[in-house]
Amino acid sequence: MSLEDVENIKKRIENFKKTLMELTEAPDSQETAEHKVREMSAEVVDSNPYSRLMALQRMGIVKNYEDIRKYTVVVVGVGGVGSVTAEMLTRCGIGKLVLFDYDKVELANMNRLFYQPSQAGLSKVTAASMTLTKINPDVKIETYNTNITLSTQFEEFLNVLKTGGINGDRVDLLLSCVDNYEARMTINTACNELGLKWFESGVSENAVCGHIQYIVPGESACFACAPPLVVASDIDEKTLKKDGVCAASLPTTMGVVAGLLVQNSLKKLLGFGTVSWYLGYNALSDFFPSMMIKPNPNCSDNFCLKQQLEFKNRVKEEPECTNVDLPEDIVTHENNEWGISLAEDEPTASSNTTELAEPLKTENVNNSARSDEEYLSLNDGIEFAYPSADQTAPNEESLVKETELNVDDLRKQLSLL
């Protein structure tokens, strides 16, 4: 037996092990059916997995939480961010979840959330499907072990976005959780072509920064409108990777970014709160920058330029809001048991102004005198060193007396002083 035959046997054994593991880990169909919940209930019992989610409806946060079962969300990239994103959506009871990834689970991924060491060697979509089905069998999960950047796989990817919805229609939202520029541009092209709204997300190589971006084709900047600095500088990102050197990875940062991603996805789907156009995260300073990026009129994506034009036309066709003076509502009551009536305001004619002038002057003088008294009043135990001018007793010598002397006589008296 040659060495090549030995290697082939080893590969076959590994494939048998993976198949056996998938069959062992796969949930029994009968057991799964028993745990499925046909309708979401707000009943507060230990056996109801949706009671705390339905409480959002009772508290007025959402109008009808059960609408979440109508939506289909596509998650591209089931790695550190994508796997946690898929788990959160599954626990929230999303109607259908479509997963795209071509990579396999490795022991090097164990520093992240979601995957387990026993799943090493399995494709990420297979491992994710088995785990998510156990968490919530009500969610329909569809997987594609596909590299969407390949030209031979792009048409399949585009067709899934067109017809992958619950009722065979277009999907409702796409979440990009990939880690390279090429995959992001592939998603960007597909969503621009279909006019599909999507979220882009990412974590920096130093593992302490991340972001999410809500992209509406034509209304906000697509990924090609404002490319990363490395790409804008005409640098091939593949040349940045070196053998034996890997990017840092923190489950905390990835968990935060995944939480922000799913939170804004729920707000968009269920219609509550405000969806962030762009939300960053800096773990070193707990800084969350937020902004809105307008589309680039010179974008390199032709589908983006087409969507921009269609958006401008839609805005022009929308009716303008005009202010209409509505009649004032007059409050009337059928019964007026106590005979209460409202008196009309007194007229402010010019004739009344003259009549009120004198009383107002008198009142102002009194108020001024009263304020002076309050100002001069002191607390107990404190007194002025000298009496005020108003309280000083008049001196008899300082008083002016009447006299029969003329001016010349008065001058003579002054000269003698």
Side-chain angles (χ1 to χ4, degrees), residues 346-357:
E346 297 180 358
T348 57
S350 59
S351 58
N352 296 336
T353 305
T354 306
E355 297 176 0
L356 296 174

Side-chain angles (χ1 to χ4, degrees), residues 35-46:
H35 287 83
K36 284 190 175 182
V37 180
R38 293 184 178 180
E39 295 182 1
M40 286 188 175
S41 171
E43 184 182 4
V44 183
V45 291
D46 294 339

Side-chain angles (χ1 to χ4, degrees), residues 12-216:
R12 292 181 63 183
I13 293 174
E14 290 296 326
N15 290 332
F16 285 137
K17 285 182 179 180
K18 293 175 184 177
T19 304
L20 180 62
M21 185 181 295
E22 292 179 7
L23 294 175
T24 305
E25 295 290 337
D28 184 59
S29 58
Q30 183 177 0
E31 181 182 354
T32 302
E34 293 177 357
H35 287 83
K36 284 190 175 182
V37 180
R38 293 184 178 180
E39 295 182 1
M40 286 188 175
S41 171
E43 184 182 4
V44 183
V45 291
D46 294 339
S47 59
N48 183 11
Y50 299 112
S51 58
R52 288 170 173 79
L53 295 171
M54 294 296 287
L56 294 170
Q57 182 175 321
R58 186 181 69 253
M59 295 179 180
I61 303 299
V62 298
K63 292 183 179 179
N64 187 8
Y65 188 85
E66 197 169 359
D67 287 344
I68 197 171
R69 283 189 161 181
K70 302 177 182 178
Y71 299 117
T72 300
V73 177
V74 177
V75 178
V76 183
V78 198
V81 175
S83 59
V84 181
T85 297
E87 180 179 350
M88 289 181 178
L89 289 171
T90 301
R91 294 184 183 276
C92 288
I94 195 71
K96 182 179 178 181
L97 195 60
V98 183
L99 306 178
F100 277 89
D101 205 311
Y102 67 94
D103 206 356
K104 294 182 179 180
V105 180
E106 301 172 350
L107 291 178
N109 303 137
M110 293 305 110
N111 69 306
R112 303 171 182 177
L113 303 174
F114 188 73
Y115 291 115
Q116 302 174 10
S118 61
Q119 296 174 327
L122 294 176
S123 65
K124 288 184 176 180
V125 291
T126 300
S129 177
M130 292 190 300
T131 302
L132 297 176
T133 302
K134 287 183 178 180
I135 292 174
N136 190 348
D138 296 335
V139 179
K140 184 178 180 181
I141 298 175
E142 193 173 291
T143 61
Y144 293 88
N145 190 10
T146 302
N147 185 357
I148 63 172
T149 62
L150 300 178
S151 58
T152 55
Q153 305 296 331
F154 180 75
E155 289 300 325
E156 180 186 14
F157 175 60
L158 201 63
N159 185 63
V160 171
L161 300 184
K162 291 179 182 178
T163 62
I166 292 181
N167 299 320
D169 51 356
R170 195 172 72 168
V171 300
D172 299 288
L173 190 64
L174 184 146
L175 307 182
S176 170
C177 304
V178 297
D179 60 356
N180 62 87
Y181 174 75
E182 189 177 7
R184 288 185 174 96
M185 285 300 296
T186 302
I187 296 170
N188 186 75
T189 301
C191 291
N192 279 340
E193 182 176 347
L194 300 177
L196 179 64
K197 300 176 182 179
W198 63 292
F199 278 92
E200 191 271 328
S201 65
V203 176
S204 62
E205 287 192 351
N206 61 4
V208 291
C209 294
H211 73 277
I212 65 169
Q213 182 179 353
Y214 179 43
I215 299 177
V216 180

Side-chain angles (χ1 to χ4, degrees), residues 121-341:
L122 294 176
S123 65
K124 288 184 176 180
V125 291
T126 300
S129 177
M130 292 190 300
T131 302
L132 297 176
T133 302
K134 287 183 178 180
I135 292 174
N136 190 348
D138 296 335
V139 179
K140 184 178 180 181
I141 298 175
E142 193 173 291
T143 61
Y144 293 88
N145 190 10
T146 302
N147 185 357
I148 63 172
T149 62
L150 300 178
S151 58
T152 55
Q153 305 296 331
F154 180 75
E155 289 300 325
E156 180 186 14
F157 175 60
L158 201 63
N159 185 63
V160 171
L161 300 184
K162 291 179 182 178
T163 62
I166 292 181
N167 299 320
D169 51 356
R170 195 172 72 168
V171 300
D172 299 288
L173 190 64
L174 184 146
L175 307 182
S176 170
C177 304
V178 297
D179 60 356
N180 62 87
Y181 174 75
E182 189 177 7
R184 288 185 174 96
M185 285 300 296
T186 302
I187 296 170
N188 186 75
T189 301
C191 291
N192 279 340
E193 182 176 347
L194 300 177
L196 179 64
K197 300 176 182 179
W198 63 292
F199 278 92
E200 191 271 328
S201 65
V203 176
S204 62
E205 287 192 351
N206 61 4
V208 291
C209 294
H211 73 277
I212 65 169
Q213 182 179 353
Y214 179 43
I215 299 177
V216 180
E219 184 176 356
S220 63
C222 75
F223 195 74
C225 286
L229 179 61
V230 173
V231 178
S233 303
D234 294 330
I235 300 175
D236 187 0
E237 66 170 345
K238 294 180 181 179
T239 62
L240 301 177
K241 296 183 179 180
K242 299 180 180 180
D243 294 337
V245 179
C246 65
S249 175
L250 275 176
T252 50
T253 306
M254 293 183 175
V256 170
V257 173
L260 296 175
L261 182 62
V262 176
Q263 188 80 296
N264 281 272
S265 300
L266 293 176
K267 289 193 288 185
K268 190 269 174 188
L269 294 174
L270 298 177
F272 69 95
T274 302
V275 179
S276 297
W277 289 102
Y278 178 94
L279 184 60
Y281 171 57
N282 186 331
L284 297 179
S285 58
D286 287 339
F287 179 53
F288 292 85
S290 179
M291 67 188 78
M292 162 61 170
I293 306 176
K294 294 291 185 180
N296 183 0
N298 300 317
C299 181
S300 59
D301 192 313
N302 292 328
F303 290 112
C304 177
L305 298 178
K306 181 181 178 181
Q307 293 293 342
Q308 291 183 42
L309 181 60
E310 291 181 0
F311 175 73
K312 290 180 180 178
N313 294 333
R314 287 197 303 269
V315 173
K316 291 180 180 179
E317 294 175 359
E318 291 179 358
E320 296 182 1
C321 297
T322 56
N323 295 327
V324 180
D325 295 333
L326 300 176
E328 184 179 357
D329 295 335
I330 301 175
V331 180
T332 58
H333 301 277
E334 297 180 359
N335 300 324
N336 191 5
E337 182 179 357
W338 304 101
I340 299 174
S341 60

Side-chain angles (χ1 to χ4, degrees), residues 396-411:
E396 293 183 0
E397 295 180 356
S398 63
L399 296 177
V400 178
K401 300 179 181 179
E402 295 183 1
T403 178
E404 295 179 355
L405 299 176
N406 55 23
V407 176
D408 294 335
D409 296 333
L410 292 174
R411 286 178 178 175

